[in-house]
Amino acid sequence: MRLLIIGTLDGQIGAASQIAMARGAKVRHVVTLEAGLEELRGQGADLVMIDVKCDIRTLIDSLEAERIVVPVVACGIATDASAAVRAIKAGAKEYIPLPPDAELIAAVIAAVTQESHNIVFKDPRMSQTLKLAEQVANSDASIMITGESGTGKELVARFIHKKSRRADKRFVAVNCAAIPENLLESELFGHEKGAFTGAVARRIGKFEEANGGTLLLDEISEMDVRLQSKLLRVLQEKEIDRVGGSQPVKVDVRILATSNRQMEEEVRKGTFREDLYYRLNVVTLALPSLRERPLDITVLADHFIKRYSEANGLPYRALSAEGRQMLIRHSWRGNVRELENCMHRAVLLAQGSEIGAEAILLSGGPVGTNPDPVVAQATAAAASVTAVSPTGLVGKTVAEVERDLILDTLNAYLGNRTHAANILGISIRTLRNKLKQYADDGVPVPPPAGGEPDRAAL
């Protein structure tokens, strides 16, 4: 983990650095906020610890403006409670009192930077897929990972990286669907100062950030054809050109790509370059849907029940026999992501000694049936379920029904544009255009999910 410390930490730099390095972190230190931003633009970081005396609000605003996603933790003397409150209000995720405590720093580092990337499975179909993934992981071949939304494509990409000879290097992911076309080139290849309006300083792109490691191009089928040609050149020449730059930069990156679309069909339609497809598609891993790996349904359900019971401070309740049968018979249009949301709800709603059928709110129509696709799109991602009577649609225009469908799905996914677009079966560009139209009409649009830039107004 790469840790950047900004400020003096009241003379506790040495102690904090030694504690972090003992936990496996690579530590860099700068004194000023401006120097910290330069470090983040030029090298990136996995975590920032900043002196509470620094202008934390300016740092957070600058990170948002430049689309630099990194958690920020504030540090200050233990007796200054008001400073801690100001830091959290300004956008810091945590506050560490000084002098630093080894266990506290270790806990904060783990809480802020650690994510669960374990793949839980039992079904032979998934076992075969992961066996193939492990077999090809140690090569430098590009791999295309395909599958429906919610099947765990990024998890498999991380699995491949961990099993590769690049495992000790960086894994960098970029969501091609969540970044507008005019910004994605800069995000991938970086830019020089003054290259365009808003380019206040040189910034490295994801290719340079992942140099020596693995770069995941998530939902690559959403990438504009013009940018696809530049990506093809990078893969062929193993060098990138920063936007506004005059000299190419050599890079050594292993490429993984994902898509929830049929890539051969995208090539046939002309929306994806055939030569780039074959360059990326040295090996294809097609992830099975949850419907195709039925033995994993209850295994995953138990896993999510334990996770969300602990996260919400609730007692563990086992899944009842009737509840298990409900899950097995369901169609799971949203795959593992839908199952996770369903179990999260069930943990919160359960009241007895078990999680029974009454706590399991399934989306997409009656259990064991294939729901109407329009209804399924509206409800597959639902983080909360609302019963809607068909008569409630009477008197509305088609445009109003479409608007309600889009906004309800977006609310269900807590503002995540990418997931909502996948569930609705539309492109992220179409979703952005719809949201811009609604915002222009004065309709409230849910804010984006944490870490996802707000593109509704673009």
Side-chain angles (χ1 to χ4, degrees), residues 6 27 31-32 40 52-53 91 99 109 119 138 150 199 205 216 223 228 271 318 357 360 385 420 432 442 447:
I6 301 176
V27 180
V31 175
T32 67
L40 291 170
V52 75
K53 296 176 182 176
I109 288 175
I119 301 177
N138 211 33
L216 171 64
M223 183 182 290
Q228 291 175 26
T271 58
I360 300 174
V385 175
R432 288 193 200 115

Side-chain angles (χ1 to χ4, degrees), residues 76-303:
I77 57 173
T79 56
D80 194 351
S82 61
V85 172
R86 289 196 304 272
I88 298 298
K89 286 185 176 180
K93 286 187 173 293
E94 296 286 350
Y95 179 85
I96 296 178
L98 299 173
D101 174 82
E103 294 307 316
L104 179 57
I105 287 185
V108 168
I109 288 175
V112 171
T113 64
Q114 232 178 27
E115 292 180 285
S116 175
H117 297 134
N118 293 331
I119 301 177
V120 177
F121 68 96
K122 180 180 179 182
D123 198 285
R125 178 79 182 270
M126 194 63 182
S127 178
Q128 292 170 3
T129 301
L130 291 180
K131 184 178 180 180
L132 176 58
E134 187 167 4
Q135 183 178 342
V136 301
N138 211 33
S139 72
D140 274 340
S142 299
I143 298 176
M144 178 70 76
I145 305 170
T146 62
E148 296 178 11
S149 178
T151 50
K153 296 186 288 295
E154 182 172 342
L155 285 181
V156 172
R158 291 181 181 275
F159 173 85
I160 292 170
H161 173 71
K162 289 178 181 178
K163 295 292 183 178
S164 75
R165 55 174 172 259
R166 297 173 181 259
D168 61 335
K169 304 297 183 180
R170 292 216 68 201
F171 176 93
V172 176
V174 56
N175 189 331
C176 300
I179 303 172
E181 299 165 18
N182 61 327
L183 296 179
L184 184 55
E185 182 177 356
S186 169
E187 196 75 13
L188 290 174
F189 308 137
H191 62 254
E192 298 291 344
K193 181 179 180 179
F196 51 85
T197 302
V200 296
R202 169 189 282 185
R203 180 181 168 189
I204 65 169
K206 298 301 184 183
F207 270 91
E208 287 183 83
E209 195 174 336
N211 196 28
T214 302
L215 176 63
L216 171 64
L217 300 174
D218 198 16
E219 301 301 346
I220 193 171
S221 52
E222 296 290 338
M223 183 182 290
D224 181 70
V225 174
R226 181 191 63 84
L227 190 53
Q228 291 175 26
S229 63
K230 295 190 176 184
L231 176 59
L232 178 63
R233 180 186 175 278
V234 172
L235 299 183
Q236 291 171 336
E237 305 298 330
K238 298 188 182 302
E239 62 183 26
I240 57 100
D241 293 305
R242 295 194 191 107
V243 178
S246 58
Q247 295 294 328
V249 179
K250 289 290 184 182
V251 289
D252 171 26
V253 177
R254 200 262 183 92
I255 299 295
L256 306 178
T258 74
S259 177
N260 62 3
R261 300 180 182 272
Q262 294 292 332
M263 293 303 295
E264 291 84 357
E265 178 65 15
E266 299 301 311
V267 170
R268 188 191 66 77
K269 292 189 301 185
T271 58
F272 201 85
R273 290 180 61 111
E274 185 176 26
D275 46 5
L276 176 59
Y277 172 63
Y278 288 120
R279 171 71 67 167
L280 292 169
N281 189 34
V282 177
V283 178
T284 295
L285 288 175
L287 298 195
S289 66
L290 191 55
R291 299 181 299 280
E292 297 171 305
R293 42 188 282 212
L295 294 182
D296 287 345
I297 293 175
T298 55
V299 173
L300 284 164
D302 290 337
H303 169 73

